[in-house]
Amino acid sequence: MLRREFWRNFDVWLFGAVLFLCIFGLIMIRSTIAGNIELANYVNRQATFMGIGMAVLAFVTVVDYRYWKSLSKYMYIFIVLFLGVILVIGTTSFGAQRWLQVGLVNIQPAELSKIVVILVLAHYFSNSINKPKNVRWLVISGLIIGGIILPIYLQPNLSTTIMLVVIWFAMLWISGLPTKYVIVMGIIGVVGAIIVFPFLEGYQQERILTFIQPEEDDFFGNTYNVEQALISIGSGGLLGQGYGSATQVQLRFLKVRSTDYIFSAIAAEFGFVGTIILMGVLIFVILRCIRAARIASDTYGALIAYGFAALIAFQTMVNIGVNLRVIPVTGQTLPFISYGGSSLLSLLLGIGLIESVLIHRKAS
């Protein structure tokens, strides 16, 4: 019975699109690190994480997603403690203490926290779906997410902090957040950003100020990466310079090209047409997640799917927005494509949850 339901309700289109993005990511990582001996193992590492992620996806798909509801409290406690450990013994890189080195692998628990936040909030909002949407309901959800956000903010990891707030707001909205609270939260958000700004790390303040008022004579300073990204995108033209042939990428003018600026590398090699196709596939994945939410058999499953759709959508917009210099520089990767084992694992785990919502939607 389970096997028949599995093949009947499994979203092959969603899985196929995600598989395409993962394989394309490996192909692009290979191009972006070409000739760099220090990064030579990136492709093999990403392929290994992809294999593990696919196994995790399959396992999570088969397990009824309702099972995770009973474990929400324990997952929450685990991730908060894990993030606390990172603050004490985590590995520091680029001024941030975000990783825990296990053997030859660096684990970034902030990536897993995105999935945990979605599951925990889905649990809370589904249980309170028929309760009054008042201040108490709002504050409790804020306290829940605050326990995870605080240690991430202290790493410091502002981009993931903002990401989790966006997921929280998206799930609040879909759960029936009254309009009056949206306005109040907007005002609090603006005031809070102004208050918090002086307490940000120096490089975070610099990124924001440089975005607001770029320094024309600082081409090789704070604006270098963004300028090179724009040049790379422009150099691709309509059809690109060809795989492995983009001068900005292969001559290493474009920095951080396998992670934050991989979109610019894609534009340089495959041009405007290539990036449109890529964005089309990412939008397709988001729409399939929303579809899963719409046909889910219960509120818990629908909220999981909506939360994950919000995650992919926001992360995609932020990464591409940074590459196009329409938002300040941040550290969000391009979903399924950028190099990063922890990110890829958490995303594939999320896809497994979506598939579980689909194949178990008729289960009693």
Side-chain angles (χ1 to χ4, degrees):
M1 180 65 180
L2 177 60
R3 182 177 300 176
R4 186 165 62 251
E5 286 296 312
F6 181 93
W7 289 113
R8 180 182 301 172
N9 298 321
F10 184 81
D11 192 339
V12 178
W13 289 103
L14 173 61
F15 177 77
V18 169
L19 182 62
F20 167 80
L21 291 172
C22 291
I23 294 174
F24 181 69
L26 288 176
I27 293 171
M28 283 308 306
I29 292 170
R30 179 178 180 274
S31 175
T32 58
I33 65 169
N36 194 325
I37 298 176
E38 295 180 357
L39 306 180
N41 60 349
Y42 267 28
V43 176
N44 290 336
R45 282 189 179 184
Q46 190 77 349
T48 299
F49 275 107
M50 177 182 166
I52 297 172
M54 287 296 173
V56 171
L57 186 156
F59 172 76
V60 175
T61 297
V62 174
V63 175
D64 193 324
Y65 65 95
R66 300 174 186 88
Y67 174 76
W68 306 112
K69 193 172 186 179
S70 62
L71 298 178
S72 293
K73 178 173 67 176
Y74 303 104
M75 289 188 292
Y76 183 85
I77 294 173
F78 169 77
I79 198 65
V80 169
L81 292 176
F82 200 178
L83 291 168
V85 169
I86 293 298
L87 289 176
V88 178
I89 62 172
T91 302
T92 301
S93 180
F94 297 103
Q97 195 167 347
R98 305 176 185 176
W99 294 269
L100 181 66
Q101 187 166 355
V102 181
L104 299 176
V105 178
N106 282 331
I107 299 175
Q108 190 174 2
E111 294 294 337
L112 180 60
S113 70
K114 298 173 185 177
I115 304 299
V116 173
V117 161
I118 291 172
L119 290 173
V120 172
L121 289 180
H123 184 187
Y124 173 72
F125 288 135
S126 62
N127 284 351
S128 59
I129 195 67
N130 295 318
K131 295 181 180 179
K133 306 303 184 293
N134 51 26
V135 175
R136 183 175 183 274
W137 171 78
L138 180 60
V139 170
I140 290 176
S141 68
L143 291 174
I144 290 172
I145 192 173
I148 294 179
I149 283 180
L150 181 59
I152 291 177
Y153 174 77
L154 293 175
Q155 289 180 355
N157 191 341
L158 184 60
S159 60
T160 300
T161 298
I162 295 173
M163 164 72 77
L164 296 180
V165 171
V166 169
I167 293 173
W168 173 52
F169 181 80
M171 296 183 73
L172 273 171
W173 175 261
I174 205 66
S175 298
L177 179 68
T179 304
K180 61 181 179 180
Y181 291 143
V182 175
I183 298 173
V184 173
M185 289 176 69
I187 296 173
I188 293 175
V190 173
V191 174
I194 296 173
I195 295 173
V196 169
F197 182 80
F199 300 98
L200 296 178
E201 294 293 319
Y203 73 91
Q204 294 173 335
Q205 294 180 357
E206 205 167 15
R207 286 177 175 179
I208 296 172
L209 294 174
T210 300
F211 171 76
I212 296 173
Q213 188 173 4
E215 300 176 25
E216 296 182 1
D217 60 345
D218 192 30
F219 184 76
F220 292 99
N222 299 321
T223 61
Y224 178 82
N225 288 341
V226 178
E227 293 292 344
Q228 291 300 323
L230 291 175
I231 293 172
S232 299
I233 293 171
S235 69
L238 182 64
L239 299 175
Q241 299 179 41
Y243 178 71
S245 301
T247 53
Q248 289 292 121
V249 178
Q250 300 306 320
L251 296 179
R252 307 181 192 177
F253 289 109
L254 179 66
K255 306 298 181 183
V256 206
R257 54 194 175 276
S258 62
T259 52
D260 296 5
Y261 292 101
I262 199 167
F263 178 82
S264 297
I266 294 169
E269 295 192 355
F270 297 99
F272 177 77
V273 172
T275 57
I276 289 297
I277 293 173
L278 171 66
M279 288 189 288
V281 177
L282 284 165
I283 292 172
F284 178 78
V285 170
I286 295 167
L287 292 177
R288 297 303 287 189
C289 291
I290 294 175
R291 169 185 172 273
R294 294 180 62 185
I295 65 176
S297 59
D298 61 4
T299 305
Y300 178 64
L303 285 169
I304 290 175
Y306 272 122
F308 194 68
L311 186 160
I312 299 177
F314 184 74
Q315 192 165 324
T316 299
M317 288 188 292
V318 169
N319 179 272
I320 296 176
V322 167
N323 280 254
L324 295 175
R325 206 167 87 174
V326 295
I327 60 174
V329 173
T330 184
Q332 290 297 336
T333 55
L334 192 60
F336 306 106
I337 296 174
S338 294
Y339 173 78
S342 298
S343 175
L344 185 60
L345 274 177
S346 65
L347 289 169
L348 292 176
L349 191 159
I351 294 297
L353 288 169
I354 302 297
E355 295 287 10
S356 180
V357 168
L358 288 169
I359 70 169
H360 293 102
R361 70 178 185 270
K362 295 182 180 180
S364 59

